Amino acid sequence: MSGAPRTPRFPLSLERMTSAMPAKATKAPSTQTARVPAAADPAAGVPSGLGLDSHGVRVRMVARLRGAGARHDGVLAAMVQLPRHFFVDTALAAQAYEDTSLPIGHGQTISKPSIVARMLELLFAGANARAAGSLGRVLEIGTGCGYQAALLGALARQVYTIERVKPLHDKARENLAALREHRIRLVYGDGRHGHPPNAPYDSIIAAAGGGELPPAWLEQLAPGGRLVAPMLDAASGAQLLTVVDREERGYVWTRHESVLFVPLKSGLD
Ligand code: SAH
């Protein structure tokens, strides 16, 4: 694996947050681009007795990911720290550490841990990330519940994450508020246009796929930057994990294994 991974740094240990902390974050007023406010207890609302706030459950999940081939120490350390159950509905919390995608409402899903680990590992192999030992300035398309954004926040210098479904955007902000993570900016918008105000990006990652990569993503990729996204392969009809590196000689495309992501949609909901 490339570079020496930095120890992921969530600003406070979620594990140590107790019920003495204030209740779960209340909704802040919506703006087009919202800085994540400080707040709250990520363990609030999780059924007690499931042992889900146990560090051990996540250590075992990560051991299984390693067994299946995940290698990036920084990514895996971040996944040990971050409580995935906090990002899904209480009724699904018991399944949060299985390697499965789960519904998050509005027909969308939280990606399964193995694909999240795989995509972040691929991002870390980009030239700029290798040189810096950090994902640098990141653009994420498809915030969903905010789980992957939170991991990115621990592994990058700055994260801009876009979601087109307003209730999910709001929910993700509420979830992320608990992390007191100042490196994540949530944007409500159509991610097919990227996010020009803060371009270029060292790393671009999409959690939704279409038949082509929007030109805006390629334009907003920094020299030495890397993009990882699912993309439909016309020949096979399969959705393939696609990597694009912006090198001096131009854009270099690599196609990897087949994956299953929700469709990249147009406009806003
Ligand atoms: N990374 C997310 C995965 C969410 S699933 C997580 O950790 O939960 C993919 C998300 O992409 C969905 O929430 C969907 O609404 C969103 N999406 C689809 N098309 C989009 C677009 N054009 N712009 C922004 N978000 C989009």
Side-chain angles (χ1 to χ4, degrees), residues 104 106 108-111 116 140-149 162-165 168 189-192 207-208 217 261-267:
I104 53 174
H106 309 274
Q108 306 303 321
T109 54
I110 179 175
S111 310
V116 172
E140 180 191 48
I141 295 97
T143 314
C145 63
Y147 173 73
Q148 183 172 272
I162 311 181
E163 175 56 58
R164 63 175 289 282
V165 178
L168 287 176
D190 181 350
R192 289 176 317 132
W217 297 359
F261 278 86
V262 295
L264 182 69
K265 292 190 177 169
S266 308

Side-chain angles (χ1 to χ4, degrees), residues 164-212:
R164 63 175 289 282
V165 178
K166 187 66 164 64
L168 287 176
H169 165 79
D170 290 340
K171 181 71 181 156
R173 188 177 46 209
E174 193 181 304
N175 288 341
L176 290 168
L179 298 179
R180 298 181 183 173
E181 177 54 83
H182 299 296
R183 293 182 192 85
I184 307 171
R185 278 183 169 261
L186 292 110
V187 180
Y188 171 55
D190 181 350
R192 289 176 317 132
H193 307 301
H195 187 57
N198 300 99
Y201 302 97
D202 301 299
S203 308
I204 299 181
I205 182 167
E212 57 181 33

Side-chain angles (χ1 to χ4, degrees), residues 70-107:
R71 284 291 168 267
H72 195 282
D73 291 335
V75 170
L76 295 175
M79 292 180 88
V80 165
Q81 281 197 48
L82 187 65
R84 187 169 181 258
H85 67 263
F86 174 65
F87 292 84
V88 298
D89 197 85
T90 306
L92 299 170
Q95 295 168 62
Y97 298 101
E98 290 167 19
D99 192 25
T100 177
S101 55
L102 293 169
I104 53 174
H106 309 274

